[in-house]
Amino acid sequence: MQNFYKILYNSDLFKNKTLKEIEDIMPSIQYSVKNYEKDELIFRIGQPVKYIGIILNGYIEIQKNLASGNVIAIFEKKRGGLFGEGSVFSKSDTYPCNIFSKSKSTILFISKKNMLNLISNDLILLENLLRSISNRALLLNLKTELLSYSSIQKKIAFSLLYLMDDYTCNNMITLPYSKKNWAEHLNASRTSLFRELKEICDQNIIHIENKIITILNRDSLESLLNF
C-alpha cells in the first residue's frame, strides 16, 4: 500500500471511505505528488486552473492581494486538507489567489478530469467535495464579515468568537497559527494586535498564555462587536 493512503483516509475528500476502498480507487486515476519548500509558491494568481491539491504533509496558505497593495491570508490548510476545488469548478479559467507552502510540504494533485471521474462514480466522494466547497464559501463569508469591522478589537472579538474551531468546554482556544499569522489574518500589524490584546486582557475579558487563549467573560467579548 502506498504510504500516503493512510493520510488520504483522514483527508477531507476521502472521509467515510475505507482504506481498502482508497486502495482500489487511487490506481484507477492519474495523479502526481510534489514536494515544496517553505514559502514556495504552489499556484499563482492568473495561473490556468488545472488541478485540485490534497495536502499529504505540511500546511499551505491562500493569500489575496488587495487593491491597496496589502496582502491578506484568506485560508490556511493543513494535512489532509483540500484546496483549489472551488477554482477548478468555477467559470474562471485561472486561480484567483496565490497559494504558498508555509512549511516543507508534500501535495498530491488530481486533475479536473480525473476528479470528475471520481465523483461521477462515487456519491460519498461527491458529497465530500461539495461539503468542502460549501465550507470554503462559508469561511469566505466569515472572512468578509471579519474585514468589515473597523477596529482591531472588533476583529479580535469576531475572530475568537466565530472563526476559531478549537474550543473546549473550559472556554479555552488554541490558536491555530502564530500571532504573526493571526495579525496578517486580521489585516493588522503585529504591534497593533499585541497592543489591543493587552488592553482586552487588562479588562479581564481574556487571558493569554502562549497559544492558549481563555475567554474569561464571553458577554464582554461579544459586547466589543457593538462598540
Side-chain angles (χ1 to χ4, degrees), residues 17 31 70 80 90 96 129 149 152 176 205:
K17 303 298 289 185
Y31 59 85
N70 292 333
S90 72
L129 180 65
Y149 288 106
I152 297 175
I205 297 176

Side-chain angles (χ1 to χ4, degrees), residues 134-183:
S134 298
N135 287 341
R136 180 187 177 96
L138 176 61
L139 287 174
L140 186 58
N141 287 335
L142 290 172
K143 182 73 175 185
T144 301
E145 185 174 352
L146 167 68
L147 295 177
S148 71
Y149 288 106
S150 57
S151 74
I152 297 175
Q153 280 199 10
K154 289 182 178 181
K155 291 178 180 180
I156 291 171
F158 183 84
S159 179
L160 292 177
L161 290 168
Y162 298 103
L163 294 181
M164 296 179 182
D165 57 5
D166 291 331
Y167 289 88
T168 71
C169 58
N170 296 318
N171 288 325
M172 296 176 67
I173 299 168
T174 301
L175 284 174
Y177 31 56
S178 68
K179 291 186 178 68
K180 176 181 180 295
N181 288 342
W182 191 16

Side-chain angles (χ1 to χ4, degrees), residues 56-182:
L56 300 180
N57 282 300
Y59 75 101
I60 60 103
E61 185 176 87
I62 301 170
Q63 299 178 355
K64 183 69 174 178
N65 293 344
L66 301 180
S68 63
N70 292 333
V71 177
I72 60 172
I74 303 296
F75 302 114
E76 285 189 348
K77 295 277 188 174
K78 300 179 180 179
R79 182 173 176 173
L82 194 65
F83 66 93
E85 71 280 18
S87 300
V88 162
F89 291 103
S90 72
K91 66 178 181 180
S92 174
D93 59 355
T94 61
Y95 290 103
C97 300
N98 289 322
I99 303 178
F100 287 91
S101 174
K102 299 305 289 183
S103 66
K104 284 191 173 182
S105 302
T106 304
I107 311 295
L108 182 146
F109 293 105
I110 303 175
S111 69
K112 179 179 179 179
K113 178 181 178 180
N114 281 281
M115 184 60 69
L116 285 172
N117 288 336
L118 282 179
I119 62 177
S120 64
N121 296 311
D122 195 311
L123 290 179
I124 292 177
L125 294 182
L126 174 60
E127 182 179 357
N128 289 342
L129 180 65
L130 292 175
R131 182 184 297 112
S132 179
I133 293 173
S134 298
N135 287 341
R136 180 187 177 96
L138 176 61
L139 287 174
L140 186 58
N141 287 335
L142 290 172
K143 182 73 175 185
T144 301
E145 185 174 352
L146 167 68
L147 295 177
S148 71
Y149 288 106
S150 57
S151 74
I152 297 175
Q153 280 199 10
K154 289 182 178 181
K155 291 178 180 180
I156 291 171
F158 183 84
S159 179
L160 292 177
L161 290 168
Y162 298 103
L163 294 181
M164 296 179 182
D165 57 5
D166 291 331
Y167 289 88
T168 71
C169 58
N170 296 318
N171 288 325
M172 296 176 67
I173 299 168
T174 301
L175 284 174
Y177 31 56
S178 68
K179 291 186 178 68
K180 176 181 180 295
N181 288 342
W182 191 16

